Amino acid sequence: MQPNSCILAREACRVQVFCVTDTTTNNLNTTMYRTKTCGELRLANAGETVTLAGWVQRTRKMGGMTFVDMRDRYGITQVVVEEGSPLFEQANKLGREWVVQITGTVGERSSKNKNLPTGDIEIVATELRVLNESVTPPFTIEDQSDGGDDLRMRYRYLDLRRTPVRRNLELRHKMTMEVRRYLDSLGFLEIETPMLIGSTPEGARDFVVPSRMNPGQFYALPQSPQTLKQLLMVSGMDRYFQIVKCFRDEDLRADRQPEFTQIDCEMSFVTQEDILQTFEGMAKHLFRELRGIELEGAFPRMTWADAMKYYGSDKPDTRFGMKFVELKDVFAQAPGFPVFDEARYIGGICAKGQATYTRKQIDQLTDFVKRPQIGAKGLVYARVNEDGTVKSSVDKFYSPDLLASLKEAMQAEPGDLILILCGDDAMKTRKQLCELRLEMGARMGLRDKNKFSLLWVIDFPMFEWSEEEGRLMATHHPFTHPKDEDIPLLDTDPAAVRADAYDMVCNGVEVGGGSIRIHDPELQDKMFRILGFTEERAQEQFGFLMNAFKYGAPPHGGLAYGLDRWVSLLAGLDSIRDCIAFPKNNSGRDVMLDAPAALEQKQLDELYLKTDVPQA
Ligand code: ASP
């Protein structure tokens, strides 16, 4: 496995170069309001008479002239009105965000603006018409706004006028166009599935919608069109996709939205290999078309077990190494430090060239791993000195020989810093070590937004134990096919069963995931039983699917890509919110629409609903 083999370092290739729809020519086919856009005029247009329409970004008065920066979706053009002009007084009254129409002659600017594509020219205005006035906007609508997050979300329609935000939506548009182009070329059909479906309590919580016509009954909004796309395979649609809104009523963790968009796909008569190749092809297509990046070679594949062992995560960030080394055997050679002697798992990472870390920096790292969200008890470190000797925080418990074995096990060199965590629960400790590795990666500048490292994580476990429910739950979903060779274990050791399930991971983010599905009703039945469903409950919830499977279900499988995550990754955004036109905040609220909100009594009555919210 060469997890870093497809890392591509690119010189800062600016996203907008590849993503913007053609802004340089006027394809608008309208002449009533404008003949050109605010983004297209160049020196070659000098002498032409043009009409533009757009918003006043700002006005400046300088030496007997008034300059108006006019903005539309395509760019900004400078308009100049001279003191002697009959328009001068009117131009001086223009306020920010007024909507205007200006006719004038294109001229060469005396002081050019190299940062603007239209920076070589200006329009000398001969006509000026105010199409609409604006009150003073609550924040400046420029690339760098003075508005805080909350204010900009409340006035999101104004925020969207800002170029960086608008560009994200342009990239999103381009991405959906390219997805459709790619999948259409492979014979996929885009088919819509309903938004009002039945509730399936397995998985996350559903958003529910009361039905007025069926009193006391509720629809649920789909968490994904999973069962419907499987039914489409039973229908013989063969290759389906849909760019579809999905809804999950989860407590919002960082960078989750209660409604999000998936590129949902399903294929018939395919093996896992077919699916991986099809969607690896799509990833390459998107990187090529949207970022101009050629992802060379096949994506590495890492089993879930290895991902957990070496990275403590099922979505490893493979832009950098710093893989975990298990150290239990090394320290067992010479017991002496009770914390290590009692720990079931000891793991270390080697931070290259970081032996210069000061005591204070180490203390910061210790505080970092001890934060309640991470929960480690402490951090052990060892510096490898220039002469090859090792200086560690546990020197008094171990001989120089043992510390030399540690250095060897970690393949550490002079100048390196070894960081070690231990604990009773290997999985928990690995997750803590994962956080430490990511933190070190960030501190060392190894998580570069312009590098992309993609891989498949495969062979996920079929089930995971839920403490809360006291039973096995499906890791992916109950329709996932177990690996053929593990099917006998379903009866003897279900927790050890691996699934034909896969995730595509990029830079530590899961950008897609799916599985081969069960198409045999008996096996599906067995799966429901292992998951603790009674026959009645399985019938009640999934009877429609089980029934359909009796009529000749083809072998099938699929995957869903997270559109929001893909766009934010390709645009180098910190949050998926930035590529969603009207996102919700961290409490799931739309602060612009002020939703959710209470219903009027009349509406509640119509739906036979009573709310019983305890007074705060
Ligand atoms: N429906 C799955 C999900 O939403 C994806 C899939 O298996 O196709 O994660």
Side-chain angles (χ1 to χ4, degrees):
M1 176 88 36
Q2 291 285 312
N4 287 332
S5 66
C6 64
I7 286 182
L8 283 179
R10 289 283 143 158
E11 73 287 358
C13 82
R14 305 236 315 264
V15 177
Q16 63 268 30
V17 174
F18 299 97
C19 78
V20 179
T21 43
D22 190 357
T23 60
T24 52
T25 50
N26 179 4
N27 293 327
L28 300 168
N29 287 331
T30 63
T31 50
M32 294 293 282
Y33 275 108
R34 54 185 171 184
T35 59
K36 297 284 178 193
T37 71
C38 296
E40 66 178 298
L41 294 169
R42 303 286 183 272
L43 212 43
N45 301 97
E48 289 177 24
T49 299
V50 295
T51 302
L52 306 182
W55 287 262
V56 174
Q57 174 139 319
R58 57 183 165 142
T59 55
R60 290 181 312 279
K61 230 174 141 178
M62 262 165 64
M65 292 200 268
T66 292
F67 295 96
V68 182
D69 284 346
M70 240 179 109
R71 175 198 345 104
D72 66 11
R73 198 187 101 192
Y74 309 94
I76 292 179
T77 297
Q78 176 169 297
V79 176
V80 57
V81 183
E82 287 166 8
E83 193 158 2
S85 157
L87 306 175
F88 192 62
E89 202 179 317
Q90 199 189 1
N92 286 333
K93 284 199 194 124
L94 295 176
R96 276 182 188 259
E97 302 309 317
W98 286 29
V99 188
V100 292
Q101 182 189 42
I102 285 179
T103 300
T105 314
V106 183
E108 183 170 359
R109 272 206 216 182
S110 50
S111 70
K112 301 202 167 54
N113 181 348
K114 291 282 159 241
N115 297 322
L116 271 188
T118 59
D120 287 348
I121 58 100
E122 63 192 2
I123 315 284
V124 183
T126 51
E127 281 172 52
L128 165 59
R129 185 149 79 108
V130 174
L131 301 176
N132 213 344
E133 294 186 7
S134 165
V135 295
T136 307
F139 49 83
T140 50
I141 300 178
E142 296 185 17
D143 288 7
Q144 297 295 332
S145 171
D146 59 359
D149 256 9
D150 206 49
L151 193 64
R152 286 189 294 107
M153 284 301 147
R154 215 153 354 119
Y155 295 91
R156 182 65 166 170
Y157 47 89
L158 295 180
D159 199 28
L160 292 176
R161 284 187 193 165
R162 294 171 52 232
T163 308
V165 190
R166 193 199 64 235
R167 257 187 207 139
N168 297 338
L169 294 190
E170 286 174 346
L171 179 66
R172 190 180 176 109
H173 159 79
K174 186 84 190 223
M175 169 134 180
T176 55
M177 296 298 279
E178 288 304 330
V179 164
R180 290 195 163 101
R181 197 152 73 91
Y182 178 81
L183 292 175
D184 179 62
S185 77
L186 295 180
F188 281 78
L189 297 181
E190 186 169 9
I191 302 174
E192 287 168 273
T193 52
M195 286 286 120
L196 296 175
I197 62 170
S199 177
T200 51
E202 189 77 355
R205 254 182 235 110
D206 286 323
F207 279 100
V208 294
V209 180
S211 163
R212 184 184 53 80
M213 289 195 290
N214 302 276
Q217 296 189 334
F218 295 81
Y219 300 102
L221 302 179
Q223 296 185 26
S224 98
Q226 183 60 40
T227 49
L228 294 156
K229 67 175 169 175
Q230 291 192 237
L231 289 175
L232 288 172
M233 295 303 105
V234 179
S235 310
M237 291 301 146
D238 201 60
R239 292 177 170 202
Y240 140 96
F241 85 100
Q242 183 179 194
I243 298 177
V244 61
K245 271 288 172 74
C246 299
F247 305 84
R248 294 186 190 167
D249 186 7
E250 292 173 305
D251 293 336
L252 292 188
R253 279 180 267 152
D255 220 22
R256 291 257 176 130
Q257 287 281 311
E259 58 177 297
F260 55 97
T261 308
Q262 288 199 336
I263 303 164
D264 192 46
C265 307
E266 196 76 6
M267 302 168 84
S268 287
F269 303 112
V270 283
T271 60
Q272 171 166 312
E273 190 57 40
D274 295 314
I275 294 184
L276 298 195
Q277 294 210 5
T278 304
F279 292 98
E280 194 164 315
M282 183 152 109
K284 288 183 175 179
H285 177 84
L286 294 173
F287 268 92
R288 188 183 309 120
E289 297 300 321
L290 303 174
R291 290 291 308 254
I293 291 175
E294 210 54 61
L295 297 175
E296 311 285 354
F299 292 3
R301 296 181 191 180
M302 192 185 295
T303 62
W304 176 88
D306 277 352
M308 298 312 292
K309 181 169 177 190
Y310 295 117
Y311 299 93
S313 167
D314 57 8
K315 37 182 182 295
D317 185 343
T318 49
R319 278 174 295 185
F320 63 104
M322 232 191 275
K323 283 197 207 173
F324 299 179
V325 178
E326 301 205 359
L327 298 168
K328 184 72 192 159
D329 289 349
V330 173
F331 289 105
Q333 289 167 32
F337 177 41
V339 176
F340 278 0
D341 297 343
E342 283 156 27
R344 289 226 184 87
Y345 173 87
I346 309 174
I349 53 173
C350 178
K352 288 271 152 219
Q354 304 303 305
T356 48
Y357 255 53
T358 60
R359 186 67 232 193
K360 198 169 152 213
Q361 285 171 303
I362 301 269
D363 287 346
Q364 279 172 356
L365 285 181
T366 310
D367 291 343
F368 172 80
V369 295
K370 282 168 120 178
R371 286 174 0 181
Q373 310 92 298
I374 300 182
K377 294 225 171 62
L379 172 70
V380 168
Y381 69 89
R383 294 191 181 95
V384 184
N385 299 322
E386 285 311 322
D387 63 2
T389 57
V390 178
K391 178 94 193 76
S392 85
S393 53
V394 287
D395 274 358
K396 65 177 175 187
F397 301 107
Y398 295 111
S399 66
D401 275 356
L402 191 114
L403 293 175
S405 325
L406 167 69
K407 182 177 79 170
E408 201 183 305
M410 295 297 309
Q411 297 189 348
E413 292 168 324
D416 292 350
L417 175 68
I418 299 167
L419 298 167
I420 302 171
L421 295 183
C422 70
D424 282 342
D425 182 326
M427 214 45 125
K428 258 193 203 156
T429 315
R430 284 188 181 123
K431 285 183 182 162
Q432 295 162 351
L433 197 53
C434 166
E435 296 296 335
L436 181 62
R437 173 181 174 271
L438 292 176
E439 171 70 15
M440 287 309 290
R443 284 169 179 240
M444 292 163 70
L446 301 172
R447 300 176 71 186
D448 180 350
K449 276 189 185 164
N450 285 307
K451 271 187 184 174
F452 295 97
S453 178
L454 287 107
L455 75 153
W456 289 107
V457 176
I458 55 171
D459 296 357
F460 274 75
M462 187 76 217
F463 306 104
E464 57 195 7
W465 179 256
S466 160
E467 288 297 340
E468 206 180 303
E469 301 264 333
R471 65 172 174 104
L472 289 175
M473 305 274 284
T475 306
H476 188 217
H477 49 55
F479 318 108
T480 298
H481 199 284
K483 291 194 91 58
D484 281 333
E485 60 268 36
D486 289 359
I487 288 180
L489 294 174
L490 284 172
D491 296 313
T492 53
D493 186 6
V497 174
R498 294 163 305 157
D500 284 331
Y502 33 79
D503 276 356
M504 187 187 281
V505 175
C506 179
N507 294 2
V509 176
E510 180 208 321
V511 289
S515 60
I516 294 294
R517 327 297 184 189
I518 296 170
H519 63 280
D520 164 12
E522 259 172 53
L523 184 57
Q524 186 65 70
D525 228 23
K526 184 175 221 164
M527 204 56 71
F528 285 137
R529 260 186 289 119
I530 296 172
L531 290 169
F533 282 74
T534 58
E535 213 172 305
E536 297 77 61
R537 223 182 115 222
Q539 257 311 315
E540 200 181 287
Q541 273 179 24
F542 300 112
F544 63 95
L545 186 70
M546 305 298 290
N547 217 17
F549 278 8
K550 290 184 198 151
Y551 295 91
H556 61 288
L559 158 150
Y561 267 2
L563 176 67
D564 312 292
R565 287 197 195 159
W566 262 96
V567 179
S568 42
L569 192 82
L570 289 170
L573 305 175
D574 292 325
S575 165
I576 60 168
R577 264 200 261 168
D578 297 335
C579 69
I580 297 175
F582 299 108
K584 310 246 180 314
N585 74 7
N586 278 344
S587 336
R589 295 200 69 81
D590 184 320
V591 290
M592 182 183 72
L593 301 176
D594 197 19
L599 291 183
E600 283 178 17
Q601 191 57 44
K602 184 168 165 276
Q603 288 173 291
L604 290 174
D605 292 346
E606 239 168 27
L607 297 165
Y608 302 95
L609 289 181
K610 277 199 177 72
T611 57
D612 188 13
V613 185
Q615 295 298 316

